[in-house]
Amino acid sequence: MTGSKFDRRQILSGVAATGLAATLNVAAADPAAAESVAAKAGVKAGLKLGAPEKFSYALLEQRARERAALPWEPPVPVAPDLLDRITYDAYQEIRFRREATLMLDEDRAVPVQLFHLGKQTRDSVKVYLYQDGEAQEVLYSSALFDTPEGHPARDLPPDVGFAGFRVMAPDLKTDWLAFLGASYFRTSGPFNQYGLSARGLAIDTGAPTPEEFPRFTDFWLESGDNDAQIFTVYAYLDSQRVTGAYRITAKRNVDARNIARVEMEVEARLFARADITRLGIAPFSSMYWYGETSRRQIVDWRPEIHDSDGLAIWTGSGERIWRPLNNPPRVMGNAFVDNDIRGFGLLQRDRDFVHYLDDSVFYERRASVWVEPITPFGEGEVHLLEIPTDDEIHDNIAAYWCPKAPFKAGESRTYVYRLRWLDDIPFPRALAKATATWTGIGGRPGHKRPEGVRKFVVDFQGSVFRGIGREDGVEIVVTPSRGTLSNAYCHPVVDQRERWRALFDLEASGEEPVDIRMFLRKDDRALTETWVFQYFPET
């Protein structure tokens, strides 16, 4: 979850920003076969491809099932000494050639480029073109990349493979989907700005034992309809205790405001090599350094720094929950028990540039990601892992669904779910959502402030407040796990439409966190989602 100064997050964003270069002239390993598949895929015949082989999702499932019965074979390091020399700066000098772009459809709406290996991206993967039941491997060649004279990449052996791939916009100036490192993938979201990452699978994330990182080792790329940016990738997943066959279909639409919606359907067929107690389905990795809820941690000139600011949950019973993220004093794991959860995700709700003031990385543009099970997830928990961090380069937040039943050796499971990368999730008009959370010293201005008391202020916004006034019986409901409450009340924010503010003081001490639940109601009807927070009195 954490990394060195130049970690996965920086590598991917750096590669996405690199330019594109000149010409390509590559000989085909099998010219006739390459000509056929290349013509189907809309790429030039000069691309170097392997021999044709049969492929289907059913065959991929069979492969995963059979390999799960065999001992795990760890990946063999590829030219480690040379890759050590391809540092972050050297990696930025490697540019995939524009003319080598794989055009996976006749309308050139799904162009694909490949990532090179490097010091931070050293796990080699295989990439295949798939059309009409036949697949051919895209073979590595240094001629696919433009590298300076004397660059260590020029000395790599001819069969090193690739680090991953990305799907470009039709004009090849930006990318909107990238697979790079372990089972990580992410999109540029609604505002063409990378942020948090999704993963194919997580194992033992936040557990006392070391985390296991299953990785995608092979990809088969297939385009969809020619009149839209629809893309299907099949992937084989492998690790010490599990194998998997994945089918991920992604579609990108851009509206009249130039806001993109990226929607994915993920089907994961998993086979257990050994027992797994903490299995992470639909996992995310994100970053939260500090924000409006943690102003005491601000050390940088920017007011807020985070890729995501909260975890949203839609429970099987219909409750909506919002949990603002923390940069905790120690590693913290929280679990939200549920049955047949309707949705969950890490969101970036705060979209105001003035709250970040960063005009180079644009945190207000980071995507929110929402998971919707297509087939029921059953009993389990949403796990939230928060790790202390002192910089923005570390992914210190993880969230995923953990099934209640352990995944036993020899078993198989299938999970089908939808991922939506968007600016904000659909939300019922009958509820207001929490849009801001602040904390500060307790008590009343102009009076002596009591020691050990913290004030919490939460703003809710929504059309549900329309026509409701201060005297109409809206009340605050606060439930802390411990401590003493005082000064709890709520009111409409002056001169702000459809916005109410909830305030309360909490007196608590000690190192153990206080879990707080709060919402607003009128009579017996909840007006807001449930705001959930974890407070550390001694910080």
Side-chain angles (χ1 to χ4, degrees):
M1 299 301 300
T2 59
S4 61
K5 182 177 180 181
F6 299 123
D7 63 8
R8 180 194 57 77
R9 300 179 67 246
Q10 285 191 308
I11 286 290
L12 187 50
S13 61
V15 171
T18 58
L20 301 168
T23 59
L24 172 68
N25 183 14
V26 187
D30 183 346
E35 180 76 28
S36 173
V37 173
K40 292 178 184 177
V43 300
K44 291 187 176 182
L47 190 68
K48 189 175 182 181
L49 301 177
E53 56 186 56
K54 291 183 179 180
F55 178 78
S56 67
Y57 187 51
L59 288 174
L60 180 58
E61 286 188 48
Q62 179 181 337
R63 172 184 178 179
R65 182 184 297 106
E66 292 174 350
R67 292 195 177 185
L70 302 174
W72 178 63
E73 296 182 4
V76 178
V78 177
D81 293 340
L82 282 173
L83 292 184
D84 282 341
R85 293 168 53 195
I86 305 179
T87 60
Y88 178 82
D89 290 334
Y91 195 80
Q92 304 311 302
E93 297 177 330
I94 304 173
R95 300 180 179 182
F96 192 85
R97 292 181 181 268
R98 183 186 185 96
E99 286 74 14
T101 301
L102 312 177
M103 296 294 181
L104 297 187
D105 67 327
E106 295 176 357
D107 289 345
R108 304 171 68 84
V110 190
V112 172
Q113 296 185 354
L114 303 171
F115 287 121
H116 200 281
L117 295 175
K119 184 176 182 178
Q120 306 295 331
T121 56
R122 58 177 61 244
D123 289 331
S124 178
V125 303
K126 293 184 176 181
V127 178
Y128 298 79
L129 297 180
Y130 169 50
Q131 291 285 331
D132 302 330
E134 186 178 90
Q136 286 184 267
E137 183 182 356
V138 180
L139 301 179
Y140 172 84
S141 171
S142 60
L144 295 172
F145 299 90
D146 182 28
T147 54
E149 292 290 337
H151 197 283
R154 289 175 171 259
D155 298 325
L156 288 169
D159 57 349
V160 294
F162 304 98
F165 67 90
R166 57 180 178 166
V167 182
M168 310 296 294
D171 62 6
L172 304 186
K173 292 182 179 180
T174 58
D175 56 353
W176 61 269
L177 172 62
F179 284 75
L180 181 64
S183 66
Y184 288 94
F185 60 95
R186 60 181 180 168
T187 88
S188 57
F191 305 115
N192 200 30
Q193 184 71 49
Y194 280 111
L196 83 169
S197 297
R199 295 163 63 181
L201 195 69
I203 297 177
D204 288 347
T205 303
T209 55
E211 183 173 1
E212 183 175 318
F213 285 90
R215 74 183 193 97
F216 291 136
T217 63
D218 301 77
F219 296 98
W220 292 262
L221 314 183
E222 178 188 38
S223 63
D225 297 337
N226 287 337
D227 60 349
Q229 287 181 270
I230 301 176
F231 174 78
T232 301
V233 56
Y234 303 86
Y236 173 69
L237 180 132
D238 193 33
S239 76
Q240 293 96 315
R241 287 182 283 171
V242 71
T243 64
Y246 279 69
R247 175 165 51 196
I248 304 172
T249 300
K251 182 176 182 179
R252 183 175 187 260
N253 290 313
V254 181
D255 65 19
R257 300 171 298 164
N258 201 34
I259 296 178
R261 299 289 190 278
V262 179
E263 184 173 302
M264 296 178 171
E265 287 194 6
V266 180
E267 180 177 350
R269 180 74 165 155
L270 305 176
F271 302 89
R273 278 194 172 109
D275 294 351
I276 302 172
T277 300
R278 187 170 294 189
L279 185 68
I281 304 301
F284 304 116
S285 295
S286 191
M287 180 275 294
Y288 183 89
W289 187 5
Y290 59 81
E292 60 196 14
T293 62
S294 51
R295 290 177 294 171
R296 286 182 292 180
Q297 295 174 313
I298 294 177
V299 295
D300 191 85
W301 66 270
R302 293 163 291 178
E304 298 186 39
I305 298 178
H306 48 77
D307 286 337
S308 308
D309 55 10
L311 169 69
I313 298 175
W314 186 13
T315 69
S317 64
E319 183 182 17
R320 296 277 187 161
I321 295 173
W322 175 248
R323 163 59 155 81
L325 295 178
N326 273 322
N327 179 3
R330 56 189 180 276
V331 176
M332 295 299 301
N334 286 267
F336 301 82
V337 178
D338 201 9
N339 186 23
D340 286 343
I341 191 168
R342 300 186 189 188
F344 73 95
L346 290 175
L347 311 186
Q348 185 80 314
R349 274 191 175 170
D350 191 340
R351 297 291 181 189
D352 192 335
F353 168 78
V354 175
H355 293 176
Y356 303 93
L357 297 178
D358 194 322
D359 60 351
S360 61
V361 298
F362 300 103
Y363 284 111
E364 76 279 2
R365 300 181 185 177
R366 303 301 168 105
S368 296
V369 183
W370 183 245
V371 179
E372 295 176 349
I374 295 176
T375 58
F377 278 5
E379 294 185 87
E381 304 168 335
V382 175
H383 280 208
L384 174 64
L385 175 68
E386 296 166 306
I387 301 173
T389 187
D390 59 1
D391 208 335
E392 63 199 285
I393 65 171
H394 306 304
D395 278 358
N396 67 315
I397 303 294
Y400 56 90
W401 175 258
C402 182
K404 180 180 180 180
F407 194 21
K408 296 292 187 178
E411 290 183 350
S412 65
R413 293 182 182 178
T414 300
Y415 294 92
V416 185
Y417 55 92
R418 185 175 292 110
L419 289 179
R420 300 181 187 271
W421 304 72
L422 31 66
D423 51 347
D424 198 5
I425 62 174
F427 205 81
R429 296 177 62 86
L431 291 176
K433 58 186 175 182
T435 54
T437 300
W438 301 275
T439 68
I441 56 175
R444 296 170 57 193
H447 296 73
K448 183 178 180 180
R449 301 301 182 98
E451 293 186 7
V453 177
R454 197 75 180 164
K455 183 176 295 294
F456 294 83
V457 181
V458 182
D459 278 9
F460 294 96
Q461 292 179 258
S463 61
V464 68
F465 292 128
R466 189 174 301 162
I468 299 179
R470 184 185 294 265
E471 307 302 326
D472 290 333
V474 177
E475 60 179 335
I476 180 174
V477 181
V478 190
T479 309
S481 60
R482 63 184 183 89
T484 303
L485 278 173
S486 60
N487 299 323
Y489 65 99
C490 61
H491 65 261
V493 180
V494 176
D495 294 332
Q496 299 291 314
R497 296 178 59 225
E498 302 171 357
R499 180 169 183 159
W500 277 62
R501 179 162 294 166
L503 306 92
F504 61 90
D505 285 354
L506 178 66
E507 182 179 5
S509 60
E511 295 183 355
E512 289 303 308
V514 182
D515 293 309
I516 312 168
R517 290 174 60 91
M518 185 269 291
F519 66 98
L520 302 186
R521 73 182 177 194
K522 183 178 184 296
D523 300 325
D524 294 329
R525 179 169 68 98
L527 298 176
T528 70
E529 64 184 347
T530 303
W531 174 90
V532 177
F533 193 71
Q534 192 164 69
Y535 166 54
F536 297 86
E538 298 301 318
T539 61

